[in-house]
Amino acid sequence: MRVLRFEDISLACVFKDLRKNLWVVIMAILTGLMFTASVMISVFVPKYTSSVTFVICYKEHDSSVYTLEYTERMADIFTDVLSSDVLKKIVAEKMNLPSFPGEIDSSVITSTNMINVSVTSESPQQAYFTICAVMENYSSVSDYVFSNAVLEVISKPYVSGDPSNYKDIGVLSFLAAVGCGLAAVAVLVVITVFRKTVKTKFAFENDVELELFATVCHEKKASKNKSPAVLMTSSYTSFKFTETLNSIATKLEFTKRNKPFKTLMISGITENAGKTTTASNIALALVRRSHKVLLVDCDLRKPSIKKIFNINDATPQQSLDKVIYGGVSVEDAIYKHKSGLDIMLEDRSYNNSLGLISSAAMDDFMDFCKQHYDYVIIDSAPIALLVDSETLAEKVDATLLVVKQDTVSAQEINEMVSNLSNGGTQVLGGILTDYI
């Protein structure tokens, strides 16, 4: 069983999951509301209430000797009298019934000498007749307690047309809906917390057998940005995002001194990890540092660099497959981007992408790139989906693995790192992307 550490928990991931699965919470609330309401309605027994308000009056002409405190105390005693079993028995006998036909409730109106009395029964007529019987017979009990005080009616009872307990359906349905909603939230939180994915930098550094090369925070794409991806050359990109990419470029320069490389493969484990965006921005960051850089689209099943850079003026010859199979020279096939970056595009998807990558012509292409560029950044296919990246790893000098926060487990990452290392490439580290 997995041992949960506090450092593994990301509140940002919890809130992100709750926002993403808000529909689950809403469905749980609606289900609880409708189910409880339907059950309550099916077993609902309507009850009706009739009530009367009394005020305590004194038989003597001068009642000024009685303080409010004394009057309130009398009201409390009257309340007990009106709710007593003795009065209920008398009322039942007067109505020729075996027992009191309902429930009686009496209460003192705070800081007054007034008492509210209500009778609840299964029919409105019965509730009304019962409260009238209470009004007529309460004195047969109260006179034994207070001979100098009587109750006068200031608010007469009436026959109620609507059930008094109908609001119970709404209250219970609301409570059930809230309970189901909270239960759904609790389940989602538990699922998120115990999901065996890398959510924090601490988890990456302690569970993954790979150096955390960098952390790229989530960058929201500006609505005015026409590019389909977030590029550091855009004026809408945040300073923090740009500086993170500049830091990665600096770290690559430093790493290169100790572990020489020219061809660098950027790959992810699953789709939508941000590998293509990361590869493109690393290439741009290195160009800004006056390096000669070639960005190669080697995700041959799903090429997307052309779309990311919004390139519409490339010629049909400017494509990797034309170099490998079409006899076009590398110089003629390279697209010159306005940023100073050279790009080897791929225009279409290949079912036999492995054949292209493992070809001798691909080896010649890689050798040419090493001779003419300081850095060759290669965007490859997701490792977990295709063997293309593992084959390509045998041809490149180094690899960076892109891991999107809260998508894969440390075990999966370690397995992929082992596969890449067995291919002969040096895995420089992992980049944790879309970090919140």
Side-chain angles (χ1 to χ4, degrees), residues 1-9 193-194:
M1 185 178 177
R2 183 192 176 202
V3 178
L4 180 65
R5 300 168 301 195
F6 179 77
E7 294 83 358
D8 292 331
I9 300 173
V193 169
F194 284 92

Side-chain angles (χ1 to χ4, degrees), residues 301-359:
R301 296 291 183 94
K302 196 176 181 181
S304 56
I305 288 179
K306 187 175 182 179
K307 182 180 178 182
I308 282 180
F309 282 88
N310 199 23
I311 297 173
N312 299 313
D313 57 346
T315 65
Q317 284 73 33
Q318 291 175 321
S319 182
L320 178 61
D321 66 293
K322 296 298 189 296
V323 175
I324 304 303
Y325 293 139
V328 178
S329 67
V330 177
E331 294 93 333
D332 292 337
I334 289 174
Y335 178 84
K336 301 288 185 179
H337 191 259
K338 60 184 180 181
S339 63
L341 174 66
D342 286 358
I343 306 175
M344 180 59 73
L345 301 168
E346 182 49 62
D347 216 16
R348 64 190 184 91
S349 176
Y350 267 87
N351 291 327
N352 187 26
S353 55
L354 185 60
L356 189 150
I357 291 172
S358 59
S359 66

